[in-house]
Amino acid sequence: MSNTPPIRLSDLTNRIQQAINNVFAGQTYWIIADITNYSYYQQKGYHYFDLVEKQEGTAGIIAKVAAVAWGAGADKIKDFERITGQVFQNGINVLVKVSVNYHNQYGLQITVLDIDANFTIGLLEQQKQAVLARLLTENPEFIQKAGDQYLTRNNRLVLNRVIQQLAVVSSGNSAGYQDFKHTLDNNRFGYRFIIHPYFTAVQGEEKAELLQQRLIDIFNTGTPYDAVVIIRGGGAQTDFLIFDTYRLGKTVARFPIPIITGIGHQKNETVVDLMAHSPTKTPTKAAEFIIAHNKAFEDEVINLQKTILIKSQQLFSARSQSLSALNSMIVNQARTMLSRHKDQLQGYNQTVINTTQSILLSKHRELLAVSGQVLSKPTILVAHKRNELENITANITSFNRMYFQNKHSELEHHKTVFRLMSPASILKRGFALVYQDGKVTANPDTIKPGSNIQVVLNSATLNATVTAKNETNGTAFDI
């Protein structure tokens, strides 16, 4: 046994306390450490945990000390959670301001006085930026960057005009999935959607492979989905670290179906958001995005319908005016032609009358001359001349009747020709009038494939577009 007399335990702890106080009293230190063995006593507002330092690249602990936070330190933890959106819990890496204390009963203890929220935020952001840099470097064929925007194979895809058939990747018990589905099912426009759920874990970096496999499962089904929707409800910032993994970012960037994200975070975008086609902030926002997309197409169709109706009315009005003008022109020209030929007929009639009177007068004179001769000649000569006179008289009568008949026939012929030459008669025989740019045309050289023409038939007008043009030698209708 040692010759040194024994001392009481309290004496030893007092010496330890004095030695530690001599070195650490009034001193504070900023240290980086991980949180383990965390517990919180809400009634007292006390936080108890261990601060540990792990060997880089392994899980081995090279330093460990018990820590506590209360009072101002507890208030700082509340500020930390509010600023970062990160719950103070096991497994997070923090930068904390501490003081070193020794208590005779509780032993060595670290008291947390402050916690740097920017350090934790910055650390997560550094990890995210490292993943983005790796994605750009290792996948230049389907990921590029233009300014602050990431251009991926997925966000270059064109969404279908109507989104209806959806594959949804979410947690099976997620309230976010229920919000998403409720918003779609109860949209005020009456749109109907086909939703195929692909449930999986959506929290924890180690679950990224499971989420990736669900995307692969969607692709392997061969179902022609209009879009894939990845949704998750709200939570702490570290709850979303699964969406900042390289594995998942690469899969989303190259996925051949447009991906819409509805990940419930408000402060920043995850890697998956940056790689996806259409990122939104919450599951409900994702549903509203899809509804708005379909509504935009419906509005476009309605506007197009209105435009077609207005254009049709304008076209019908213009063509109606053109037809009215054409009808008036045909009527006026027909009246003019009839009036002109009527004048010609009256002239012919007057000519016949005048010519007949001249012939009768001439023959009357001849008759008087012949009468004188008859009186001076024998009865035979008189009889002979009488016969000649009768023949001449008969000829005059016959000539007058035939002349009128010939003129009447000519008049009827002209009327028939006029009727045959009228547009209405031509159209009834199967012919058609071709209009180009509002004018009648008979020249095929001005009509090219793609030209718009109007074909006027007997009882209808056809609006047509020339699809082909074949040259002919002009002998198709030779008899």
Side-chain angles (χ1 to χ4, degrees):
M1 184 174 177
S2 173
N3 293 326
T4 305
I7 63 174
R8 291 180 301 174
L9 176 60
S10 59
D11 291 335
L12 177 60
T13 57
N14 286 335
R15 292 181 184 183
I16 295 173
Q17 184 180 37
Q18 184 178 3
I20 290 176
N21 288 339
N22 289 339
V23 175
F24 295 103
Q27 302 294 319
T28 59
Y29 304 89
W30 283 98
I31 62 172
I32 298 174
D34 291 341
I35 304 298
T36 64
N37 297 325
Y38 173 76
S39 60
Y40 174 57
Y41 295 89
Q42 186 173 7
Q43 292 181 345
K44 295 183 178 181
Y46 291 175
H47 299 261
Y48 294 97
F49 49 90
D50 289 338
L51 295 175
V52 300
E53 179 182 350
K54 296 179 181 179
Q55 187 173 0
E56 188 173 355
T58 70
I61 296 176
I62 60 177
K64 178 179 179 181
V65 65
V68 64
W70 58 65
D75 291 338
K76 293 295 184 179
I77 289 179
K78 289 182 180 179
D79 293 340
F80 168 84
E81 292 180 329
R82 176 180 54 80
I83 294 171
T84 64
Q86 167 65 58
V87 176
F88 192 83
Q89 60 186 359
N90 290 330
I92 63 172
N93 187 255
V94 293
L95 174 62
V96 291
K97 182 180 181 181
V98 300
S99 62
V100 180
N101 305 285
Y102 184 85
H103 190 276
N104 289 350
Q105 185 177 355
Y106 302 109
L108 181 65
Q109 195 171 62
I110 299 293
T111 302
V112 174
L113 305 174
D114 198 357
I115 180 169
D116 190 345
N118 292 327
F119 172 82
T120 301
I121 294 174
L123 187 62
L124 295 176
E125 184 63 25
Q126 288 175 13
Q127 294 173 354
K128 172 183 168 183
Q129 293 303 322
V131 170
L132 290 172
R134 182 184 174 192
L135 286 169
L136 286 171
T137 302
E138 297 183 9
N139 306 282
E141 67 277 12
F142 57 86
I143 303 176
Q144 298 89 38
K145 189 175 183 182
D148 294 331
Q149 299 295 319
Y150 288 87
L151 305 178
T152 69
R153 182 178 299 169
N154 190 264
N155 63 32
R156 286 192 180 99
L157 297 173
V158 178
L159 282 171
N160 291 338
R161 303 303 301 277
V162 175
I163 300 175
Q164 188 172 34
Q165 188 161 228
L166 298 167
V168 180
V169 180
S170 176
S171 172
N173 58 357
S174 169
Y177 172 74
Q178 298 302 325
D179 292 342
F180 172 82
K181 193 171 184 303
H182 180 270
T183 302
L184 288 185
D185 291 342
N186 296 277
N187 71 87
R188 62 190 180 91
F189 306 109
Y191 301 147
R192 292 293 173 261
F193 299 91
I194 301 171
I195 301 174
H196 294 166
Y198 291 81
F199 294 131
T200 185
V202 289
Q203 182 173 337
E205 293 181 74
E206 70 282 359
K207 300 296 181 20
E209 184 175 357
L210 295 177
L211 203 157
Q212 179 193 40
Q213 185 58 48
R214 299 311 279 153
L215 291 175
I216 295 173
D217 293 341
I218 291 171
F219 175 77
N220 289 337
T221 64
T223 304
Y225 290 113
D226 297 309
V228 175
V229 184
I230 301 176
I231 56 178
R232 188 198 187 284
Q237 187 164 348
T238 52
D239 292 342
F240 300 100
L241 293 181
I242 185 174
F243 300 107
D244 282 332
T245 58
Y246 174 83
R247 176 195 297 271
L248 200 54
K250 179 180 178 180
T251 302
V252 170
R254 66 185 299 181
F255 203 69
I257 303 173
I259 293 178
I260 301 170
T261 61
I263 301 172
H265 57 92
Q266 298 292 338
K267 295 190 176 181
N268 52 24
E269 293 180 301
T270 66
V271 170
V272 167
D273 287 323
L274 295 172
M275 299 296 110
H277 187 282
S278 300
T280 64
K281 290 297 184 183
T282 65
T284 300
K285 292 293 184 182
E288 291 172 350
F289 170 83
I290 294 170
I291 294 169
H293 176 85
N294 290 355
K295 184 61 170 62
F297 176 73
E298 182 183 11
D299 291 342
E300 185 178 340
V301 171
I302 292 174
N303 291 334
L304 181 60
Q305 181 186 33
K306 292 179 181 178
T307 301
I308 291 174
L309 182 60
I310 293 172
K311 293 294 184 182
S312 299
Q313 291 175 343
Q314 292 174 344
L315 184 61
F316 282 131
S317 176
R319 295 309 174 200
S320 177
Q321 293 175 0
S322 298
L323 287 175
S324 297
L326 180 62
N327 180 66
S328 299
M329 181 181 67
I330 292 173
V331 171
N332 292 334
Q333 289 183 352
R335 288 176 179 173
T336 301
M337 292 177 64
L338 289 174
S339 177
R340 184 169 64 250
H341 288 292
K342 182 178 180 181
D343 293 340
Q344 290 179 354
L345 182 61
Q346 290 177 349
Y348 292 150
N349 182 63
Q350 190 62 42
T351 299
V352 170
I353 293 173
N354 294 336
T355 302
T356 302
Q357 290 177 349
S358 297
I359 292 174
L360 288 174
L361 181 59
S362 175
K363 295 304 180 181
H364 179 70
R365 290 172 181 171
E366 292 178 2
L367 182 60
L368 291 176
V370 171
S371 297
Q373 294 178 3
V374 169
L375 292 175
S376 60
K377 289 184 180 181
T379 303
I380 297 174
L381 181 61
V382 171
H384 178 71
K385 293 301 182 181
R386 180 178 295 169
N387 291 335
E388 289 183 356
L389 181 59
E390 291 175 354
N391 290 335
I392 291 171
T393 303
N395 288 338
I396 291 173
T397 303
S398 176
F399 174 79
N400 187 34
R401 185 173 61 254
M402 292 176 62
Y403 184 81
F404 276 107
Q405 289 177 349
N406 289 339
K407 294 303 180 181
H408 182 73
S409 297
E410 289 182 9
L411 181 59
E412 292 299 325
H413 173 71
H414 286 309
K415 288 182 178 180
T416 301
V417 170
F418 294 153
R419 285 193 295 270
L420 292 175
M421 291 177 62
S422 70
S425 178
I426 291 173
L427 294 178
K428 288 180 180 179
R429 293 204 303 275
F431 292 94
L433 296 176
V434 178
Y435 284 77
Q436 184 181 23
D437 298 329
K439 298 180 180 179
V440 177
T441 179
N443 183 7
D445 294 338
T446 64
I447 300 176
K448 306 295 182 182
S451 299
N452 293 322
I453 63 173
Q454 295 78 43
V455 181
V456 179
L457 301 176
N458 180 38
S459 61
T461 298
L462 306 180
N463 294 322
T465 300
V466 177
T467 60
K469 176 180 176 182
N470 300 319
E471 303 291 340
T472 61
N473 55 14
T475 63
F477 300 100
D478 290 347
I479 299 175

